[in-house]
Amino acid sequence: RDLQFARNASCRRCGAAKPLPQNMGPQASSFYPMGGMGSSGGVTQAMTGDWICPNCRDLVFARNSQCRRCSTSRPADGSANVPVGGGPLPMLPGPT
C-alpha cells in the first residue's frame, strides 16, 4: 500500500490505474468511503464569506486570510468574495 494524492491517475510505486467506476466498476466505491472520485458533477459548493483568490483562482474558505495554494493575501476591499448566499460555483481553472 502507498498513499496517493487524488490528482494521480496511477500508483507512483507500481503503476496500477487509479480505481474508478470506469475501470473497476462498483467496487471502486470501497476506495472512496467519503464519496470522492471527483463525481461532484463539476460544481463546488461555496459558503458565504468564501473568496476566490485573484492570483490563482482557487476557492478559499472564509476563515483563511491567505490563499492555501499561492499564499496571496485576501483582498481588503472584498472584491474576491463569493456572492452573498454562497451556492454552487463553476469549476475554476487552476493557475496557468
Side-chain angles (χ1 to χ4, degrees):
R1 291 207 174 251
D2 188 29
L3 180 63
Q4 298 295 315
F5 291 109
R7 67 177 175 255
N8 294 346
S10 61
C11 176
R12 61 194 169 129
R13 185 179 285 173
C14 70
K18 179 179 184 176
L20 295 171
Q22 297 87 343
N23 65 13
M24 200 174 172
Q27 298 93 324
S29 63
S30 67
F31 287 89
Y32 303 95
M34 300 303 286
M37 296 189 277
S39 60
S40 65
V43 175
T44 300
Q45 191 68 25
M47 302 297 287
T48 301
D50 290 350
W51 54 285
I52 304 296
C53 175
N55 186 45
C56 71
R57 307 295 300 156
D58 191 30
L59 174 64
V60 185
F61 295 135
R63 68 176 176 258
N64 298 324
S65 61
Q66 68 181 28
C67 177
R68 64 191 168 105
R69 206 185 248 178
C70 70
S71 300
T72 298
S73 294
R74 180 183 195 148
D77 63 2
S79 60
N81 288 358
V82 172
V84 174
L89 296 174
M91 283 299 232
L92 300 170
T96 54

